[in-house]
Amino acid sequence: MKKYRCEFCHECLDEEDYLRHHQEHLKLRPDGQQNEYVTLPPDECEQASLEGIPCIYYHAKCDSYTGMPEEIIRSYLKNPYLYSADIAIRFDF
Protein backbone atom coordinates (compact mmCIF):
# COMPACT_ATOMS: atom_id res chain seq x y z
CA MET A 1 0.00 0.00 0.00
CA LYS A 2 1.22 3.50 -0.84
CA LYS A 3 2.48 5.67 2.05
CA TYR A 4 2.19 9.44 2.42
CA ARG A 5 4.15 11.71 4.73
CA CYS A 6 2.02 14.33 6.47
CA GLU A 7 3.38 17.81 5.79
CA PHE A 8 2.14 18.99 9.19
CA CYS A 9 3.34 16.34 11.65
CA HIS A 10 5.55 14.31 9.24
CA GLU A 11 3.95 11.02 10.23
CA CYS A 12 3.95 8.34 7.51
CA LEU A 13 0.45 7.09 6.80
CA ASP A 14 -1.23 4.56 4.56
CA GLU A 15 -3.07 6.07 1.62
CA GLU A 16 -6.46 5.15 3.09
CA ASP A 17 -5.74 7.01 6.35
CA TYR A 18 -3.99 10.05 4.93
CA LEU A 19 -6.96 12.19 3.84
CA ARG A 20 -8.78 11.90 7.18
CA HIS A 21 -5.56 12.59 9.05
CA HIS A 22 -4.75 15.60 6.83
CA GLN A 23 -8.23 17.08 7.34
CA GLU A 24 -7.68 17.10 11.11
CA HIS A 25 -4.68 19.39 10.63
CA LEU A 26 -6.75 21.83 8.55
CA LYS A 27 -9.33 22.54 11.25
CA LEU A 28 -9.57 26.22 12.13
CA ARG A 29 -9.46 27.80 15.56
CA PRO A 30 -12.58 29.59 16.84
CA ASP A 31 -11.11 32.91 15.63
CA GLY A 32 -10.85 31.55 12.07
CA GLN A 33 -7.07 31.24 12.01
CA GLN A 34 -5.27 28.06 11.12
CA ASN A 35 -4.41 25.89 14.07
CA GLU A 36 -1.45 24.17 12.41
CA TYR A 37 0.90 24.94 9.55
CA VAL A 38 2.93 22.94 7.08
CA THR A 39 6.61 22.69 7.97
CA LEU A 40 9.60 20.89 6.62
CA PRO A 41 10.67 17.74 8.46
CA PRO A 42 13.11 18.63 11.27
CA ASP A 43 16.07 17.08 9.44
CA GLU A 44 15.38 19.33 6.40
CA CYS A 45 15.00 22.59 8.35
CA GLU A 46 17.66 25.24 8.82
CA GLN A 47 19.89 24.15 11.69
CA ALA A 48 21.98 27.30 12.24
CA SER A 49 21.44 29.73 15.09
CA LEU A 50 18.39 31.98 14.74
CA GLU A 51 20.11 34.85 16.51
CA GLY A 52 19.32 38.04 14.62
CA ILE A 53 16.63 36.36 12.49
CA PRO A 54 13.27 38.17 12.70
CA CYS A 55 10.51 36.05 14.19
CA ILE A 56 7.48 38.07 13.06
CA TYR A 57 5.86 38.70 9.69
CA TYR A 58 3.40 41.24 8.39
CA HIS A 59 0.06 39.73 7.45
CA ALA A 60 -1.38 42.10 4.83
CA LYS A 61 -4.94 40.75 4.99
CA CYS A 62 -5.17 41.49 8.73
CA ASP A 63 -2.87 44.53 8.60
CA SER A 64 -0.96 43.23 11.60
CA TYR A 65 2.28 41.56 12.63
CA THR A 66 2.26 37.93 13.73
CA GLY A 67 4.88 35.88 15.56
CA MET A 68 6.26 32.74 13.96
CA PRO A 69 7.10 29.55 15.84
CA GLU A 70 10.67 28.31 15.51
CA GLU A 71 9.75 25.38 13.25
CA ILE A 72 8.11 27.78 10.78
CA ILE A 73 11.11 30.13 10.81
CA ARG A 74 13.49 27.22 10.22
CA SER A 75 11.28 25.88 7.40
CA TYR A 76 10.98 29.34 5.82
CA LEU A 77 14.75 29.82 5.83
CA LYS A 78 15.17 26.62 3.80
CA ASN A 79 12.15 27.20 1.53
CA PRO A 80 10.70 30.73 1.44
CA TYR A 81 8.04 29.58 -1.06
CA LEU A 82 6.52 27.14 1.43
CA TYR A 83 4.36 29.95 2.85
CA SER A 84 3.14 31.79 -0.20
CA ALA A 85 -0.51 32.38 0.74
CA ASP A 86 -1.67 35.92 1.40
CA ILE A 87 1.18 37.04 3.59
CA ALA A 88 3.91 39.52 2.91
CA ILE A 89 7.15 38.84 4.72
CA ARG A 90 8.50 42.18 5.85
CA PHE A 91 11.32 42.58 8.27
CA ASP A 92 10.92 46.27 9.02
CA PHE A 93 10.29 47.14 12.63
Side-chain angles (χ1 to χ4, degrees), residues 58-65:
Y58 178 73
H59 192 272
K61 185 176 180 180
C62 298
D63 191 30
S64 65
Y65 289 91

Side-chain angles (χ1 to χ4, degrees), residues 56-61 64-65 83 85-91:
I56 61 170
Y57 71 90
Y58 178 73
H59 192 272
K61 185 176 180 180
S64 65
Y65 289 91
Y83 307 104
D86 63 345
I87 63 170
I89 305 296
R90 281 193 348 208
F91 297 129

Side-chain angles (χ1 to χ4, degrees), residues 36-84:
E36 298 182 53
Y37 291 87
V38 169
T39 60
L40 294 175
D43 60 326
E44 294 178 25
C45 287
E46 178 60 50
Q47 300 299 317
S49 168
L50 296 181
E51 185 175 337
I53 302 294
C55 61
I56 61 170
Y57 71 90
Y58 178 73
H59 192 272
K61 185 176 180 180
C62 298
D63 191 30
S64 65
Y65 289 91
T66 303
M68 294 183 288
E70 183 177 331
E71 62 271 13
I72 289 179
I73 296 168
R74 292 186 179 283
S75 294
Y76 178 81
L77 289 171
K78 282 290 186 168
N79 182 358
Y81 301 104
L82 191 60
Y83 307 104
S84 61

Side-chain angles (χ1 to χ4, degrees), residues 19-47:
L19 186 57
R20 179 186 47 76
H21 175 89
H22 189 264
Q23 291 300 318
E24 287 296 312
H25 288 293
L26 296 176
K27 288 184 177 178
L28 300 178
R29 298 187 321 206
D31 64 4
Q33 293 186 32
Q34 281 183 234
N35 191 42
E36 298 182 53
Y37 291 87
V38 169
T39 60
L40 294 175
D43 60 326
E44 294 178 25
C45 287
E46 178 60 50
Q47 300 299 317

